[in-house]
Amino acid sequence: EPEVTQTPSHQVTQMGQEVILRCVPISNHLYFYWYRQILGQKVEFLVSFYNNEISEKSEIFDDQFSVERPDGSNFTLKIRSTKLEDSAMYFCASRTSNEQFFGPGTRLTVL
Amino acid sequence: RKEVEQDPGPFNVPEGATVAFNCTYSNSASQSFFWYRQDCRKEPKLLMSVYSSGNEDGRFTAQLNRASQYISLLIRDSKLSDSATYLCVVNLMDSNYQLIWGAGTKLIIKP
């Protein structure tokens, strides 16, 4: 069964450093998403991406964040200068119809 | 006011019992409704979509009341493996399937 994959599973970084979180969506899906979940809190929408551009973004997704689909398979989330409060699980999702399929997440820890 | 509101629980329920969760949403433009299940430190997984007519999938029954902006999930004959956090999720009309998440209700099934 096809699935969304994410790498790395855990990323530890120093405050102020740049991180890139990687996702490989399901191959025939057209819509891609990033969500985050701070430990013990609810899942929050960050951004949606379709046809090689951002279609929606939340207030969380400020200038420190960017997304890219550099080739036909990867979908990346970059955080330019990480802050302590960026520590969270980051989930990538993709969809073709009504259901969004989630990857296993990347746990980002900012020290 | 929270957009999607759930009782955080935990609900401690003996194996074999029936348990019901409720969820309210604030935006009347919400178009699609879902219950997701999330195990500890794992990605959310779709349990079932919720339709206006109500729908059932095995031991799980979901109901939607648009007038009251209320969604429910009923689990019959609960199993130990049902222990998880259950997330109520809505999708807004005219949105690119951006999902709005409740904080989740934690369910613990005891033997």
Side-chain angles (χ1 to χ4, degrees):
Chain A
E1 185 177 329
E3 57 184 18
V4 178
T5 59
Q6 289 186 243
T7 54
S9 57
H10 191 185
Q11 174 87 49
V12 182
T13 189
Q14 295 288 328
M15 190 170 59
Q17 295 295 306
E18 174 183 287
V19 294
I20 297 176
L21 310 183
R22 291 185 166 78
C23 169
V24 179
I26 295 172
S27 61
N28 64 335
H29 287 189
L30 303 176
Y31 299 84
F32 313 114
Y33 305 82
W34 283 102
Y35 295 84
R36 80 170 185 192
Q37 187 176 31
I38 295 170
L39 187 64
Q41 297 186 26
K42 65 179 181 180
V43 177
E44 299 173 292
F45 168 78
L46 292 178
V47 66
S48 59
F49 192 87
Y50 171 71
N51 200 26
N52 284 319
E53 61 182 19
I54 290 173
S55 47
E56 282 180 300
K57 59 183 181 179
S58 71
E59 293 174 353
I60 303 168
F61 194 88
D62 60 23
D63 293 343
Q64 293 299 312
F65 291 87
S66 61
V67 289
E68 199 175 36
R69 188 157 161 83
D71 51 44
S73 59
N74 290 284
F75 178 51
T76 62
L77 174 69
K78 181 192 290 186
I79 309 174
R80 269 182 264 285
S81 178
T82 50
K83 303 186 283 289
L84 295 176
E85 54 265 37
D86 292 327
S87 294
M89 282 289 287
Y90 287 81
F91 294 108
C92 172
S94 69
R95 74 170 178 96
T96 186
S97 58
N98 199 36
E99 180 180 352
Q100 291 188 28
F101 292 83
F102 284 78
T106 293
R107 178 167 299 283
L108 176 65
T109 302
V110 182
L111 302 176
Chain B
R1 181 180 173 185
K2 292 181 185 177
E3 294 191 59
V4 179
E5 200 153 352
Q6 298 180 249
D7 181 341
F11 284 37
N12 290 283
V13 173
E15 191 176 8
T18 295
V19 60
F21 304 134
N22 302 319
C23 165
T24 57
Y25 59 94
S26 60
N27 193 324
S28 58
S30 299
Q31 181 182 36
S32 305
F33 309 90
F34 310 92
W35 283 103
Y36 276 75
R37 171 196 167 123
Q38 187 174 29
D39 293 292
C40 188
R41 296 178 180 259
K42 299 284 189 181
E43 74 274 25
K45 292 190 176 177
L46 180 66
L47 181 64
M48 57 198 307
S49 301
V50 188
Y51 304 117
S52 296
S53 55
N55 48 301
E56 187 173 312
D57 182 3
R59 298 182 293 109
F60 299 85
T61 301
Q63 297 277 353
L64 167 64
N65 184 323
R66 284 188 185 270
S68 303
Q69 296 182 192
Y70 169 98
I71 306 160
S72 66
L73 177 69
L74 184 78
I75 306 175
R76 288 181 297 279
D77 187 23
S78 53
K79 314 285 185 196
L80 295 176
S81 56
D82 293 334
S83 297
T85 296
Y86 290 82
L87 306 170
C88 177
V89 186
V90 307
N91 160 232
L92 300 178
M93 196 175 293
D94 297 331
S95 166
N96 189 23
Y97 274 80
Q98 175 191 150
L99 297 180
I100 309 298
W101 300 74
T105 298
K106 187 169 184 177
L107 174 64
I108 301 170
I109 304 298
K110 296 185 176 296

